[in-house]
Amino acid sequence: MTEEDASESPAGTAPTETAPGGRPVVEVSPAVHKRLTTGLGGFSMAMAACLLVVLAIYLITPRSNEEILPTVDYGSQLWAMRNDAPFTSYAPEGLPARWRPTSSRLSGMGTDGKKPVAWHLGFVTPGDEYAALEQSNEKASEYVPRMTNSSKPVGTQQVNGVAWTKYHRKDKKANSLARTLPDGVSLVVTGTASYEELAILAASLKPQSKKDAGLTPSATPTTGP
Protein backbone atom coordinates (compact mmCIF):
# COMPACT_ATOMS: atom_id res chain seq x y z
CA MET A 1 0.00 0.00 0.00
CA THR A 2 1.35 3.48 -0.90
CA GLU A 3 1.63 6.46 1.39
CA GLU A 4 -1.11 8.10 -0.65
CA ASP A 5 -3.48 5.19 0.06
CA ALA A 6 -2.73 5.32 3.74
CA SER A 7 -3.31 9.04 3.91
CA GLU A 8 -6.84 8.60 2.51
CA SER A 9 -7.89 6.13 5.26
CA PRO A 10 -10.31 7.65 7.84
CA ALA A 11 -8.82 8.58 11.18
CA GLY A 12 -8.92 5.75 13.68
CA THR A 13 -9.21 3.00 11.06
CA ALA A 14 -6.73 0.51 9.75
CA PRO A 15 -5.99 0.31 6.08
CA THR A 16 -8.60 -1.43 3.98
CA GLU A 17 -7.81 -5.03 3.15
CA THR A 18 -9.50 -7.39 0.76
CA ALA A 19 -11.37 -10.37 2.22
CA PRO A 20 -11.82 -13.65 0.37
CA GLY A 21 -14.31 -13.12 -2.42
CA GLY A 22 -13.13 -9.60 -3.13
CA ARG A 23 -15.13 -7.82 -0.38
CA PRO A 24 -13.30 -4.93 1.32
CA VAL A 25 -12.82 -5.14 5.06
CA VAL A 26 -12.33 -2.03 7.17
CA GLU A 27 -10.88 -2.48 10.62
CA VAL A 28 -11.68 0.22 13.19
CA SER A 29 -9.56 1.09 16.17
CA PRO A 30 -10.76 0.18 19.69
CA ALA A 31 -11.54 3.84 20.38
CA VAL A 32 -13.81 4.15 17.34
CA HIS A 33 -15.49 0.82 18.14
CA LYS A 34 -16.19 2.04 21.68
CA ARG A 35 -17.75 5.27 20.40
CA LEU A 36 -20.05 3.33 18.06
CA THR A 37 -21.24 0.76 20.61
CA THR A 38 -21.50 2.75 23.84
CA GLY A 39 -23.07 5.96 24.99
CA LEU A 40 -26.35 7.50 23.79
CA GLY A 41 -25.67 6.82 20.14
CA GLY A 42 -24.96 3.14 20.66
CA PHE A 43 -27.97 2.75 22.97
CA SER A 44 -30.27 4.43 20.44
CA MET A 45 -29.03 2.19 17.66
CA ALA A 46 -29.55 -0.93 19.79
CA MET A 47 -33.10 0.15 20.74
CA ALA A 48 -33.96 0.89 17.12
CA ALA A 49 -32.75 -2.56 16.10
CA CYS A 50 -34.87 -4.18 18.83
CA LEU A 51 -37.95 -2.21 17.78
CA LEU A 52 -37.47 -3.28 14.18
CA VAL A 53 -37.33 -6.94 15.25
CA VAL A 54 -40.48 -6.57 17.40
CA LEU A 55 -42.32 -4.82 14.55
CA ALA A 56 -41.34 -7.55 12.10
CA ILE A 57 -42.60 -10.27 14.47
CA TYR A 58 -45.87 -8.36 15.02
CA LEU A 59 -46.48 -8.00 11.30
CA ILE A 60 -45.94 -11.66 10.48
CA THR A 61 -47.83 -13.12 13.48
CA PRO A 62 -51.43 -14.20 12.66
CA ARG A 63 -53.98 -12.30 14.73
CA SER A 64 -57.73 -12.30 15.22
CA ASN A 65 -59.89 -9.67 16.90
CA GLU A 66 -62.72 -12.14 17.42
CA GLU A 67 -63.38 -13.38 20.92
CA ILE A 68 -63.55 -17.17 20.92
CA LEU A 69 -65.97 -18.43 23.54
CA PRO A 70 -65.47 -21.98 24.84
CA THR A 71 -67.99 -24.69 24.05
CA VAL A 72 -69.67 -26.00 27.21
CA ASP A 73 -71.25 -29.31 28.12
CA TYR A 74 -74.60 -28.58 29.78
CA GLY A 75 -75.46 -32.22 30.44
CA SER A 76 -75.19 -31.92 34.22
CA GLN A 77 -77.48 -28.87 34.31
CA LEU A 78 -79.99 -30.63 32.10
CA TRP A 79 -79.92 -33.63 34.42
CA ALA A 80 -80.44 -31.39 37.47
CA MET A 81 -83.38 -29.63 35.85
CA ARG A 82 -85.03 -32.94 34.95
CA ASN A 83 -84.47 -34.37 38.41
CA ASP A 84 -84.80 -31.45 40.82
CA ALA A 85 -86.69 -28.58 39.22
CA PRO A 86 -90.18 -28.08 40.72
CA PHE A 87 -91.62 -27.85 37.22
CA THR A 88 -91.25 -29.55 33.84
CA SER A 89 -88.16 -28.09 32.24
CA TYR A 90 -87.59 -27.49 28.54
CA ALA A 91 -84.39 -28.09 26.58
CA PRO A 92 -83.42 -27.79 22.90
CA GLU A 93 -83.46 -30.92 20.80
CA GLY A 94 -82.51 -31.26 17.15
CA LEU A 95 -80.77 -27.90 16.78
CA PRO A 96 -78.56 -27.64 13.69
CA ALA A 97 -74.94 -28.54 14.42
CA ARG A 98 -73.68 -24.96 14.05
CA TRP A 99 -75.54 -23.91 17.19
CA ARG A 100 -72.73 -23.96 19.76
CA PRO A 101 -73.49 -23.88 23.52
CA THR A 102 -71.22 -21.44 25.33
CA SER A 103 -72.79 -20.95 28.77
CA SER A 104 -75.08 -22.75 31.21
CA ARG A 105 -76.08 -21.65 34.71
CA LEU A 106 -78.62 -22.80 37.30
CA SER A 107 -79.95 -20.82 40.23
CA GLY A 108 -82.42 -21.48 43.03
CA MET A 109 -81.76 -25.20 43.30
CA GLY A 110 -81.73 -26.69 46.81
CA THR A 111 -83.69 -23.85 48.42
CA ASP A 112 -86.82 -25.96 49.09
CA GLY A 113 -88.93 -23.61 47.03
CA LYS A 114 -87.84 -20.49 48.92
CA LYS A 115 -86.37 -19.07 45.73
CA PRO A 116 -87.46 -19.46 42.10
CA VAL A 117 -85.50 -21.94 40.02
CA ALA A 118 -83.99 -20.62 36.80
CA TRP A 119 -81.85 -22.04 34.01
CA HIS A 120 -79.82 -19.98 31.56
CA LEU A 121 -78.46 -21.69 28.43
CA GLY A 122 -76.51 -19.57 25.93
CA PHE A 123 -75.51 -20.28 22.32
CA VAL A 124 -73.51 -18.82 19.48
CA THR A 125 -75.78 -19.09 16.45
CA PRO A 126 -74.92 -20.00 12.84
CA GLY A 127 -75.19 -16.27 12.09
CA ASP A 128 -72.41 -15.65 14.66
CA GLU A 129 -74.84 -13.94 17.02
CA TYR A 130 -75.85 -14.68 20.60
CA ALA A 131 -79.05 -16.44 21.63
CA ALA A 132 -80.07 -17.72 25.05
CA LEU A 133 -82.83 -19.80 26.56
CA GLU A 134 -84.02 -18.43 29.89
CA GLN A 135 -86.64 -20.33 31.91
CA SER A 136 -87.94 -19.97 35.44
CA ASN A 137 -90.93 -20.36 37.71
CA GLU A 138 -90.39 -16.79 38.95
CA LYS A 139 -93.44 -14.56 38.67
CA ALA A 140 -93.80 -13.88 34.94
CA SER A 141 -94.61 -10.18 35.37
CA GLU A 142 -91.15 -9.72 36.90
CA TYR A 143 -89.09 -12.37 35.13
CA VAL A 144 -90.07 -11.71 31.51
CA PRO A 145 -89.35 -7.94 31.49
CA ARG A 146 -85.99 -8.55 33.15
CA MET A 147 -84.95 -11.23 30.66
CA THR A 148 -86.17 -9.31 27.61
CA ASN A 149 -84.86 -5.93 28.80
CA SER A 150 -88.27 -4.52 27.93
CA SER A 151 -91.78 -4.30 29.32
CA LYS A 152 -93.42 -3.33 26.03
CA PRO A 153 -94.32 -6.09 23.54
CA VAL A 154 -93.90 -5.24 19.86
CA GLY A 155 -96.10 -8.01 18.47
CA THR A 156 -96.34 -11.78 18.32
CA GLN A 157 -94.66 -14.53 16.31
CA GLN A 158 -96.01 -17.98 15.57
CA VAL A 159 -93.65 -20.85 16.40
CA ASN A 160 -94.99 -24.34 15.68
CA GLY A 161 -98.51 -22.96 15.84
CA VAL A 162 -97.96 -21.28 19.22
CA ALA A 163 -97.91 -17.51 19.68
CA TRP A 164 -94.79 -16.09 21.32
CA THR A 165 -94.69 -12.44 22.37
CA LYS A 166 -92.01 -10.34 20.66
CA TYR A 167 -89.85 -7.77 22.45
CA HIS A 168 -87.12 -5.46 21.18
CA ARG A 169 -84.59 -3.28 22.99
CA LYS A 170 -82.90 -1.06 20.41
CA ASP A 171 -80.11 0.35 22.56
CA LYS A 172 -79.01 -3.14 23.56
CA LYS A 173 -79.64 -4.69 20.14
CA ALA A 174 -81.77 -7.27 21.94
CA ASN A 175 -84.53 -9.31 20.33
CA SER A 176 -86.69 -11.61 22.43
CA LEU A 177 -89.53 -14.10 22.17
CA ALA A 178 -91.37 -15.00 25.36
CA ARG A 179 -94.08 -17.43 26.39
CA THR A 180 -95.62 -18.22 29.78
CA LEU A 181 -96.89 -21.79 30.20
CA PRO A 182 -100.12 -22.76 32.01
CA ASP A 183 -98.14 -23.85 35.09
CA GLY A 184 -96.67 -20.34 35.37
CA VAL A 185 -93.21 -21.20 34.03
CA SER A 186 -91.82 -18.63 31.60
CA LEU A 187 -89.70 -19.46 28.56
CA VAL A 188 -87.70 -16.67 26.96
CA VAL A 189 -85.35 -16.87 23.99
CA THR A 190 -83.34 -13.70 23.70
CA GLY A 191 -80.12 -12.19 22.36
CA THR A 192 -78.60 -10.35 19.43
CA ALA A 193 -79.79 -13.06 17.04
CA SER A 194 -82.54 -12.29 14.57
CA TYR A 195 -86.14 -13.26 15.28
CA GLU A 196 -85.76 -15.99 12.67
CA GLU A 197 -82.88 -17.61 14.58
CA LEU A 198 -84.65 -17.13 17.91
CA ALA A 199 -87.68 -18.90 16.43
CA ILE A 200 -85.45 -21.88 15.52
CA LEU A 201 -84.31 -22.11 19.15
CA ALA A 202 -87.89 -21.75 20.42
CA ALA A 203 -89.13 -24.45 18.03
CA SER A 204 -86.48 -26.87 19.28
CA LEU A 205 -87.59 -26.71 22.92
CA LYS A 206 -89.04 -29.97 24.19
CA PRO A 207 -90.38 -30.84 27.67
CA GLN A 208 -87.99 -33.01 29.67
CA SER A 209 -89.79 -35.92 31.27
CA LYS A 210 -88.88 -36.68 34.87
CA LYS A 211 -89.12 -40.40 34.11
CA ASP A 212 -85.85 -39.96 32.22
CA ALA A 213 -84.20 -38.11 35.11
CA GLY A 214 -82.24 -41.16 36.19
CA LEU A 215 -80.56 -41.46 32.81
CA THR A 216 -77.19 -39.84 32.24
CA PRO A 217 -77.70 -37.04 29.72
CA SER A 218 -75.58 -36.75 26.63
CA ALA A 219 -72.23 -35.06 27.13
CA THR A 220 -72.99 -32.88 24.13
CA PRO A 221 -76.21 -31.13 23.08
CA THR A 222 -78.63 -33.04 20.90
CA THR A 223 -78.32 -31.57 17.43
CA GLY A 224 -79.77 -32.15 14.03
CA PRO A 225 -78.00 -32.33 10.69
Side-chain angles (χ1 to χ4, degrees):
M1 178 180 294
T2 67
E3 293 183 1
E4 181 180 357
D5 293 332
S7 64
E8 293 179 356
S9 299
T13 64
T16 301
E17 298 179 359
T18 302
R23 295 190 303 274
V25 176
V26 178
E27 295 183 0
V28 299
S29 68
V32 173
H33 181 272
K34 183 176 181 180
R35 287 200 303 272
L36 291 176
T37 58
T38 61
L40 182 59
F43 176 78
S44 298
M45 293 175 63
M47 287 298 297
C50 290
L51 289 175
L52 287 174
V53 172
V54 171
L55 178 61
I57 294 173
Y58 174 80
L59 292 175
I60 66 175
T61 301
R63 299 180 303 280
S64 174
N65 293 326
E66 297 181 2
E67 181 180 3
I68 306 299
L69 297 174
T71 300
V72 302
D73 171 15
Y74 60 83
S76 59
Q77 287 85 6
L78 173 58
W79 184 90
M81 286 296 291
R82 285 175 177 173
N83 189 55
D84 298 327
F87 54 85
T88 298
S89 60
Y90 281 69
E93 294 180 4
L95 276 176
R98 290 184 62 195
W99 284 74
R100 189 167 61 86
T102 57
S103 59
S104 180
R105 296 188 299 273
L106 292 179
S107 62
M109 288 291 196
T111 62
D112 297 326
K114 295 178 181 179
K115 293 183 179 181
V117 170
W119 183 22
H120 157 88
L121 181 59
F123 291 88
V124 171
T125 73
D128 202 27
E129 297 291 347
Y130 178 73
L133 163 65
E134 311 284 356
Q135 61 183 294
S136 178
N137 62 343
E138 183 181 344
K139 190 176 180 180
S141 60
E142 299 176 1
Y143 184 73
V144 172
R146 191 169 73 255
M147 293 299 105
T148 61
N149 288 291
S150 175
S151 58
K152 297 180 179 179
V154 295
T156 60
Q157 182 163 336
Q158 295 290 318
V159 179
N160 288 347
V162 177
W164 290 64
T165 304
K166 297 174 67 174
Y167 295 86
H168 178 67
R169 180 72 178 268
K170 185 176 181 180
D171 61 333
K172 292 183 178 291
K173 196 191 172 186
N175 298 319
S176 304
L177 298 174
R179 175 189 175 199
T180 300
L181 304 176
D183 61 358
V185 173
S186 296
L187 302 176
V188 179
V189 289
T190 184
T192 60
S194 66
Y195 287 114
E196 289 73 17
E197 285 193 313
L198 292 179
I200 292 174
L201 178 56
S204 74
L205 300 180
K206 300 294 185 291
Q208 303 299 299
S209 174
K210 289 185 180 296
K211 70 180 181 179
D212 296 328
L215 300 178
T216 303
S218 172
T220 55
T222 304
T223 59

